[in-house]
Amino acid sequence: MDFALTEEQLELQEMVRDFVAKEITPYAAEMDRENHAREGLMEKAADMGLLNVCVPEEYGGMGLDSVTVALIYEELGKGCAGVATSIAANSLASYPILLAGTEEQKQAHCDLLNEGKLAAFALTEPGAGSDAGAVSTSAVKDKEAGTYTLNGAKAFITNGGIADTYLVFANTRKTGGIRGLTAFIVPKGTPGFTVGKKEDKMGIRPSNTCELILQDVVIPEANRVGREGEGFRIAMNTLDNARPFVGAVSVGLAQAALDCAVKYSKERKQFGQPIASFQMIQSMIADMAMRVEAARMLVYKACWMRDQGMEFSKEAAMAKCYAADTAMEVTTNAVQIMGGYGYSREYPVEKMMRDAKIMQIYEGTNQIQRLVIANKIIF
Ligand code: COS
């Protein structure tokens, strides 16, 4: 067992850390207030190669291993979990194609990401969240024309209003249910495919979250990813792959909050001494640091298992769930240590606390993660 990072991993980590310090952290509060990412930020992220971290070498990407990708997302999470979410959504939307797509689909999709374009994963609907099998968007096949016609609506889609390509899950069975779930690539601008309302969220506000509306959207059969009815398995597999990265962003978020609380506790004086000298503060900081480190180890382990080709659904759920709960607890305690200042928008930790909440909700609630973990252990 080797806990040391390689030279290349350390270099990449340093590069992303510099990028975050220059381009994200100083603007995080402004982006949060304005409810969108800064003009040009995604282009800069693309120039750094951050939008295509999941692209394998044979499709023109860096072919990074999962541990290295986690290191990148952790750094992004330190700067702003909203920006990290928007960037990570590219990986989420890419896995269905990388896992089940044809060679042509893989090449075309990776070319888009290599050009710096954004992708969106459209599974969730107003009536299908935790119950992902309840997707009611329909896909009706026209055998003669070699097309599918999609009708329905998607909800809470990251990059919904700004992506160039969408991975949409729809049902090819009239009766619905998981056996009819099928994945499709729907390019931006396809007639009948429109963006609905943009969400005004509690946190991760620089990330774009929108409704999508599909009204008689006709796409060629060549845009179907995998077989008809294979969509549920593809979606579950995709979520397994992406969940450790939600964990990585959560670890970054928690580490940033811990760093703020430690700095503040050394500067803030009460009763004639820095509050860091009080044992109650020390105890909180020690607990926060232990949780962050434990979460990081779970994330690295799930990533490592994925890279070894091992079965890792349980570990992916553990990493996501524990790291998200850690982000919530550590950001809340950072606000507590900083008191009135922590609660004020003048300091960054109240934003981190708002951002942390979504980590327990998206890409499968933490209740769903616990179900996945228990099912793997018990049955
Ligand atoms: N990988 C591959 N296949 C999987 C799988 C996985 N991780 N998990 C389940 N499956 C397969 C099962 O093997 C089963 O196939 P068979 O019927 O052929 O045996 C099928 O999928 C149904 O599995 P299961 O009965 O466990 O499905 P449930 O309807 O009970 O739901 C949960 C399982 C709740 C775990 C699933 O719906 C889920 O993860 N929900 C959360 C969705 C989510 O994360 N949404 C976030 C939106 S995307 S940001």
Side-chain angles (χ1 to χ4, degrees):
M1 196 179 288
D2 185 355
F3 287 98
L5 299 177
T6 65
E7 280 296 312
E8 283 136 12
Q9 285 172 329
L10 289 168
E11 263 173 41
L12 203 57
Q13 189 183 45
E14 201 52 45
M15 270 169 57
V16 182
R17 199 168 281 166
D18 279 355
F19 174 79
V20 168
K22 281 195 197 96
E23 304 290 347
I24 299 181
T25 311
Y27 307 100
E30 177 191 318
M31 291 191 285
D32 177 58
R33 268 194 312 275
E34 296 187 353
N35 201 27
H36 59 78
R38 208 159 50 97
E39 205 64 45
L41 177 60
M42 285 302 156
E43 287 76 4
K44 286 181 183 164
D47 290 344
M48 278 282 296
L50 297 175
L51 300 190
N52 63 346
V53 291
C54 59
V55 174
E57 260 176 337
E58 66 257 48
Y59 301 109
M62 282 196 279
L64 298 175
D65 60 89
S66 310
V67 175
T68 308
V69 173
L71 294 173
I72 292 173
Y73 287 140
E74 186 179 328
E75 292 307 317
L76 292 171
K78 283 183 195 166
C80 172
V83 174
T85 294
S86 194
I87 291 176
N90 263 9
S91 298
L92 181 66
S94 303
Y95 285 124
I97 300 174
L98 293 172
L99 293 166
T102 61
E103 275 309 302
E104 291 74 27
Q105 287 171 344
K106 287 180 190 171
Q107 194 62 64
H109 182 79
C110 291
D111 285 350
L112 268 177
L113 296 193
N114 292 337
E115 278 170 31
K117 301 276 167 51
L118 288 168
F121 178 82
L123 173 66
T124 300
E125 296 186 354
S130 291
D131 186 5
V135 160
S136 67
T137 295
S138 62
V140 178
K141 189 172 179 175
D142 181 335
K143 268 194 190 150
E144 272 179 30
T147 58
Y148 285 92
T149 302
L150 272 53
N151 276 291
K154 295 287 171 183
F156 306 120
I157 305 305
T158 300
N159 294 343
I162 55 174
D164 279 85
T165 185
Y166 296 77
L167 213 294
V168 174
F169 289 83
N171 214 304
T172 44
R173 279 192 175 188
K174 277 203 186 106
T175 47
I178 64 169
R179 303 267 172 241
L181 216 62
T182 309
F184 297 95
I185 298 165
V186 181
K188 168 188 167 181
T190 306
F193 182 42
T194 51
V195 177
K197 95 170 155 137
K198 180 181 167 188
E199 297 296 337
D200 186 8
K201 310 188 295 296
M202 170 187 185
I204 59 161
R205 290 169 62 79
S207 71
N208 174 288
T209 313
C210 290
E211 264 178 0
L212 301 176
I213 298 141
L214 299 110
Q215 261 176 333
D216 294 327
V217 176
V218 180
I219 49 162
E221 210 179 321
N223 282 25
R224 191 189 69 224
V225 180
R227 294 185 307 277
E228 277 191 15
E230 210 188 350
F232 193 76
R233 191 189 62 78
I234 294 173
M236 292 301 112
N237 244 316
T238 293
L239 290 165
D240 284 345
N241 278 279
R243 282 172 181 158
F245 301 140
V246 176
V249 173
S250 304
V251 169
L253 185 50
Q255 182 69 59
L258 172 60
D259 293 345
C260 282
V262 170
K263 182 168 179 290
Y264 178 89
S265 70
K266 292 201 257 185
E267 290 163 2
R268 169 78 172 163
K269 286 201 173 121
Q270 286 293 276
F271 306 102
Q273 46 193 316
I275 61 168
S277 65
F278 299 129
Q279 287 186 342
M280 277 207 208
I281 298 289
Q282 291 173 5
S283 168
M284 285 175 83
I285 286 174
D287 282 341
M288 289 154 80
M290 279 192 281
R291 283 214 58 161
V292 174
E293 197 56 21
R296 184 177 283 122
M297 289 302 117
L298 279 177
V299 169
Y300 289 179
K301 187 181 175 198
C303 289
W304 177 84
M305 289 177 74
R306 176 178 187 268
D307 291 338
Q308 305 306 307
M310 296 161 80
E311 156 61 40
F312 70 106
S313 296
K314 183 182 80 195
E315 285 74 14
M318 284 178 164
K320 190 274 182 187
C321 185
Y322 190 81
D325 284 349
T326 295
M328 196 67 247
E329 188 181 302
V330 170
T331 55
T332 305
N333 284 340
V335 169
Q336 187 68 24
I337 288 174
M338 295 173 68
Y341 295 103
Y343 200 63
S344 159
R345 296 240 151 121
E346 242 177 79
Y347 284 82
V349 288
E350 64 80 29
K351 169 190 179 292
M352 293 174 186
M353 184 176 163
R354 285 183 286 111
D355 285 352
K357 188 65 210 168
I358 194 65
M359 301 294 150
Q360 297 178 308
I361 298 172
Y362 70 7
E363 291 192 37
T365 63
N366 276 10
Q367 285 70 27
I368 289 289
Q369 307 308 320
R370 288 180 167 90
L371 282 185
V372 170
I373 296 163
N375 278 335
K376 292 279 173 195
I377 292 170
I378 299 167
F379 303 110

